[in-house]
Amino acid sequence: MHPVLSTVLKRVGLGIVTLVIVSAIIFSSVSLLPGDFGESVLGQAATEDTVAAFRKELGLDEPAITRYFNWLGAAVKGDFGTSFSGRSASGVDRSRSVASLVGPRLYNTLFLAGVTAIVAVPLALILGLTAALYRNSFYDRSINAVTLTTIATPEFFVAYILILLLSSLWPVFPSLANISEATPLLERLNKIALPALTLTLVIVAHMMRMTRAAIINLLSSPYIEMAQLKGATRSEIILKHALPNAWAPIATVVAFNLAFLVVGVVVVEVVFVYPGIGQLMVDAVTTRDIPVVQACALIFAATYIVLNLIADVIGIVSNPRLLHPR
Amino acid sequence: MNNSEEASSGYSAAAEVGLKRKRRTRFERMRIGLGKAPLSAWFGMIVVSAYVIVALFAPLFAPFGEADIFPTPYAPWGGEHFFGTDQIGRDILTRMIYGARNTMGIALVTTFLSFLIGGTLGLVAAISRGWVDQLLSRFVDVLMAIPSLIFALMLLSIFGSTISSLIIIIAVLDSTRVFRLTRSVAVNVVVMDYVEAARLRGEKLGWIMRREILPNIMPPLIAEFGLRFSFVFLTIAALSFLGVGIQPPTADWGSMVRENASLIQFAKYDMKAAMTPLLPAAAIALLTVAVNFIVDWFLHQTSGLRDDG
């Protein structure tokens, strides 16, 4: 078998194994619940019968392995069970299915992340390239200082400064991103401007620094020195010689940062009251709505693992040493 | 000609070789090192020491008690309350000062715990190799595959948001990063002859860990401690901001940002009041930047790293 193919297959296999183990960890967290959880969900007035029925619904009367595979099988089909909230002691069940809670919010989160990525990726690449091109210039140094500061500051600080400047002092954008399914696209874009801008600032800082580092790392290789010695200009060297070989590390950087974006989204969604999956998860954590927490954690973890997997596969596929084995 | 010049100035090579080399004390070396520290490192050190002093002597600095409630909620700046009061009438300045103590204290304990867990396991993995190393490393790989904020949120929903569970959860999640670093630095030291000698001498695992390897991997670990501290600090602040970290009435900066966030809307009418939620957020950011500056300088000092990479 071609070495690239076998390496990629190995990496994908490892990714799948990781996913399975991670899902097992997320699942088994339920068994760590304190014993009286049925009562705390249903309230003090719950009868023995309702608690027993609730425990049965959680499947606590079956062996863990069976429960795990039932849960995983249903989760793959998009069925994450029903939420804990909306249940009462009298046995009346007004709870909603987790899938119906997560579905629309997942779409919202993907929309926000997508818009951010469309803005952030080209911006970061251009900034990173130009910073590498004019290395150690005033431009490079100032970008460096700004990005270092953004990286070290918490997302909510950036978010509130943006709200203060762009929403409160000069009302350019709304500070609440309370969209609904009926919101038309243009209004939607206007409403998510500030959250997307916050995420962009955070992501661009990371991505730009990594792009710059990747290019500068390449610039120290012998063939670049050769190009310098034969008299090529600086932009020629970067665009014609360095960039083609830098695509792999840059693609890795992009995928890695999109994975990072998935996590950063949680805090930003809470700041702007954006109805996304991050906020759903935080709410579920406060009310200890375990099925919802599990579903959100699984979605976040799976996205993170898959994006990292893609980053690695790009790295493998574009590695010339593997593509042309001796 | 050379000879005559040297002779006239009284130089003698033999004399210089014969000179007894004066060894600088640790204190002297530290002073020389500090003298060469760049401005950013000085800035970092001053900021961090100011924070530490405020945190240590919080009751002396704070004008009121940590959970004292006053009649006017959202009082403006100035007057009796320097930074005004929050939504239920607690003095902001007081809570900022106590927040330094709580937020930094919890982050520090967490970081120590995560180094204790991650460092010990990392050393054990590096020394014993074989299946122990494989088992620990693969386990850490899996834990690191889940974004730590998400994992922390999930575990908090199960164990509840008490301070002890917060510390243990974050310490365990963070120890995976410490494990990785410790193991990767330690494997280079484990192969040294003097470790082999200690082994042949019959020293136990504990001795090899503490006396042979640990002193040789200290610099990267200390730098990592600074970085991990700021990371843990940011994670705790983020969790508290989300309302699932440090719970009221304990003052901390993350939840203070959240509690006073609505004041930003009034920036046009009272700029000072609108700055209130930004104060704790800025305090968090300033500390992280300061710690990063110090770590940068420390890494330069110990490894001669150049920053053109």
Side-chain angles (χ1 to χ4, degrees):
Chain A
M1 205 177 355
H2 197 275
V4 172
L5 194 59
S6 67
T7 324
V8 167
L9 283 182
K10 255 186 222 156
R11 182 62 188 87
V12 172
L14 189 67
I16 294 172
V17 172
T18 317
L19 259 178
V20 171
I21 298 177
V22 165
S23 71
I25 292 177
I26 292 176
F27 169 77
S28 57
S29 58
V30 163
S31 47
L32 296 173
L33 285 176
D36 59 345
F37 197 77
E39 281 173 29
S40 70
V41 167
L42 300 175
Q44 288 291 324
T47 58
E48 292 275 312
D49 288 351
T50 33
V51 174
F54 179 67
R55 289 231 178 93
K56 185 161 186 179
E57 192 197 314
L58 277 187
L60 294 177
D61 49 351
E62 281 176 72
I65 306 272
T66 330
R67 272 187 288 144
Y68 169 62
F69 282 107
N70 287 344
W71 176 75
L72 191 64
V76 169
K77 286 184 220 140
D79 173 18
F80 289 100
T82 47
S83 160
F84 278 178
S85 66
R87 290 167 196 269
S88 59
S90 56
V92 180
D93 193 352
R94 279 193 213 87
S95 58
R96 300 171 59 190
S97 80
V98 176
S100 73
L101 282 170
V102 170
R105 282 164 170 264
L106 180 61
Y107 171 75
N108 285 345
T109 296
L110 289 179
F111 182 69
L112 176 61
V115 170
T116 309
I118 290 172
V119 180
V121 172
L123 187 65
L125 294 188
I126 292 171
L127 285 178
L129 264 179
T130 43
L133 192 59
Y134 304 106
R135 181 150 53 121
N136 293 333
S137 66
F138 175 72
Y139 170 74
D140 181 30
R141 278 165 199 279
S142 45
I143 285 195
N144 232 349
V146 171
T147 49
L148 243 187
T149 328
T150 355
I151 287 176
T153 48
E155 286 104 341
F156 52 82
F157 187 39
V158 180
Y160 281 124
I161 287 187
L162 286 179
I163 292 186
L164 179 68
L165 294 179
L166 293 179
S167 169
S168 198
L169 283 181
W170 295 278
V172 189
F173 297 114
S175 66
L176 288 184
N178 50 344
I179 61 167
S180 70
E181 276 167 54
T183 319
L185 183 66
L186 269 182
E187 197 189 331
R188 201 173 258 249
L189 284 175
N190 183 39
K191 282 199 166 172
I192 68 160
L194 280 185
L197 190 57
T198 311
L199 282 173
T200 306
L201 281 179
V202 178
I203 294 294
V204 161
H206 276 111
M207 218 172 349
M208 173 261 150
R209 288 179 73 86
M210 287 162 90
T211 312
R212 177 178 175 273
I215 301 250
I216 285 177
N217 192 22
L218 266 178
L219 289 183
S220 59
S221 36
Y223 75 96
I224 297 290
E225 196 177 347
M226 175 67 212
Q228 274 168 349
L229 290 177
K230 80 179 186 196
T233 61
R234 228 175 167 182
S235 52
E236 242 180 7
I237 290 174
I238 292 210
L239 295 176
K240 273 172 72 181
H241 296 270
L243 199 54
N245 286 302
W247 281 126
I250 289 177
T252 322
V253 166
V254 170
F256 179 77
N257 277 291
L258 292 184
F260 182 81
L261 180 68
V262 169
V263 185
V265 121
V266 177
V267 173
V268 173
E269 277 178 6
V270 171
V271 172
F272 293 97
V273 204
Y274 183 76
I277 194 171
Q279 190 170 35
L280 179 69
M281 183 169 184
V282 173
D283 288 346
V285 169
T286 355
T287 55
R288 303 181 83 178
D289 192 349
I290 306 292
V292 178
V293 175
Q294 277 182 328
C296 296
L298 191 64
I299 291 171
F300 275 123
T303 323
Y304 190 75
I305 292 170
V306 167
L307 281 171
N308 276 315
L309 177 67
I310 293 173
D312 279 4
V313 168
I314 293 172
I316 294 168
V317 169
S318 53
N319 185 346
R321 276 186 217 109
L322 281 171
L323 280 175
H324 308 285
R326 268 183 241 169
Chain B
M1 186 188 151
N2 250 342
N3 268 344
S4 65
E5 247 180 42
E6 274 169 14
S8 62
S9 63
Y11 176 82
S12 133
E16 182 173 318
V17 171
L19 266 180
K20 194 174 165 229
R21 195 164 145 245
K22 215 181 117 207
R23 207 177 154 77
R24 289 188 182 120
T25 61
R26 186 169 289 222
F27 182 70
E28 275 172 331
R29 268 180 289 155
M30 226 156 84
R31 226 183 44 199
I32 291 172
L34 278 180
K36 282 191 230 150
L39 208 62
S40 61
W42 271 110
F43 170 76
M45 282 184 280
I46 291 170
V47 169
V48 170
S49 27
Y51 273 60
V52 170
I53 290 171
V54 169
L56 283 180
F57 303 105
L60 293 182
F61 287 106
F64 304 104
E66 184 179 355
D68 286 1
I69 296 173
F70 295 92
T72 29
Y74 291 132
W77 285 26
E80 194 187 353
H81 305 288
F82 189 70
F83 285 142
T85 56
D86 68 2
Q87 85 280 15
I88 57 169
R90 290 173 299 197
D91 184 59
I92 297 276
L93 178 63
T94 307
R95 293 193 60 82
M96 286 283 293
I97 291 170
Y98 277 101
R101 178 182 247 193
N102 298 331
T103 319
M104 280 172 62
I106 290 174
L108 201 63
V109 172
T110 311
T111 319
F112 267 119
L113 191 61
S114 92
F115 267 75
L116 197 67
I117 303 170
T120 314
L121 291 180
L123 284 177
V124 167
I127 296 170
S128 43
R129 298 293 184 84
W131 63 269
V132 181
D133 184 20
Q134 277 298 321
L135 193 76
L136 285 171
S137 297
R138 293 296 82 75
F139 181 65
V140 162
D141 282 351
V142 170
L143 282 191
M144 283 179 78
I146 311 177
S148 61
L149 186 70
I150 304 294
F151 209 172
L153 276 174
M154 196 184 82
L155 292 177
L156 281 172
S157 75
I158 291 160
F159 295 109
S161 300
T162 59
I163 285 182
S164 51
S165 63
L166 187 72
I167 290 177
I168 293 171
I169 288 171
I170 296 179
V172 168
L173 292 182
D174 210 57
S175 66
T176 54
R177 273 80 179 168
V178 182
F179 172 87
R180 273 262 175 104
L181 180 89
T182 315
R183 189 189 162 279
S184 68
V185 212
V187 283
N188 296 324
V189 181
V190 169
V191 292
M192 295 287 179
D193 286 343
Y194 56 83
V195 179
E196 186 70 10
R199 259 199 204 132
L200 292 175
R201 214 157 64 215
E203 302 291 3
K204 299 255 166 50
L205 184 70
W207 170 284
I208 297 179
M209 269 162 63
R210 275 182 298 116
R211 306 299 295 270
E212 309 289 340
I213 298 180
L214 201 55
N216 290 298
I217 59 169
M218 250 354 226
L221 281 191
I222 292 176
E224 185 71 4
F225 188 87
L227 290 180
R228 300 275 32 120
F229 171 78
S230 52
F231 187 80
V232 165
F233 181 72
L234 280 179
T235 311
I236 292 180
L239 287 173
S240 304
F241 171 77
L242 296 176
V244 293
I246 303 169
Q247 299 295 321
T250 311
D252 95 293
W253 291 337
S255 34
M256 282 179 74
V257 178
R258 178 87 176 274
E259 286 161 4
N260 298 301
S262 53
L263 283 174
I264 290 193
Q265 303 302 334
F266 305 112
K268 278 201 168 158
Y269 315 103
D270 186 354
M271 191 58 205
K272 278 182 181 166
M275 298 293 289
T276 308
L278 295 180
L279 288 173
I284 294 166
L286 187 62
L287 181 63
T288 351
V289 172
V291 171
N292 273 302
F293 277 154
I294 300 179
V295 170
D296 259 10
W297 169 65
F298 185 79
L299 279 176
H300 259 275
Q301 287 281 300
T302 50
S303 64
L305 267 183
R306 295 214 319 268
D307 62 346
D308 55 2

